[in-house]
Amino acid sequence: MADGTETMWAAVADAWRRNADAVDARLAPVTACLLDRAAVAPGDTVLDLACGPGGTGIAAARRAGPGGHVTLSDITGEMVEAAAARAAAAGLTDVTTRRLDLEDIDLPDATADVA
């Protein structure tokens, strides 16, 4: 993304990381509704684009369970690092992280059941 978006999000990533638990708590009803509407179910493979510090993807990983898998992705390394640390702290082993530009996703078609 050449328009400065990556730089802007990298600049605020630390604040997002510090406040992630509070944001997740406030957004819990919205996140639950989103995951219900996306029909995330046990065993699903989920791709979370622009995951920030990972709250929605972590909630999806809990729904997908041990037979599922979630990829947390963001354009900034700082956000990916925050999401990885939070997933590890939650004990989620079926979660991976990677830098992805949501405008240029270099993954094969049908990589995920839910995005």
Side-chain angles (χ1 to χ4, degrees):
M1 232 181 226
D3 65 2
T5 302
E6 180 179 356
T7 303
M8 186 273 302
W9 283 111
V12 298
D14 188 55
W16 276 94
R17 181 194 51 75
R18 285 191 321 268
N19 294 293
D21 291 339
V23 170
D24 289 351
R26 290 189 76 186
L27 292 177
V30 175
T31 300
C33 182
L34 174 75
L35 297 176
D36 287 346
R37 293 204 177 213
V40 175
D44 278 349
T45 299
V46 179
L47 173 60
D48 185 355
L49 296 164
C51 72
T56 302
I58 289 168
R62 290 184 175 121
R63 285 197 185 200
H69 185 270
V70 174
T71 299
L72 302 173
S73 70
D74 203 278
I75 193 169
T76 66
E78 293 85 353
M79 289 291 198
V80 170
E81 290 169 11
R86 294 183 73 222
L92 299 169
T93 58
D94 293 325
V95 173
T96 57
T97 56
R98 72 181 281 186
R99 287 183 71 177
L100 282 177
D101 181 340
L102 61 83
E103 292 182 7
D104 185 25
I105 303 167
D106 65 349
L107 296 172
D109 290 346
T111 295
D113 300 309
V114 180

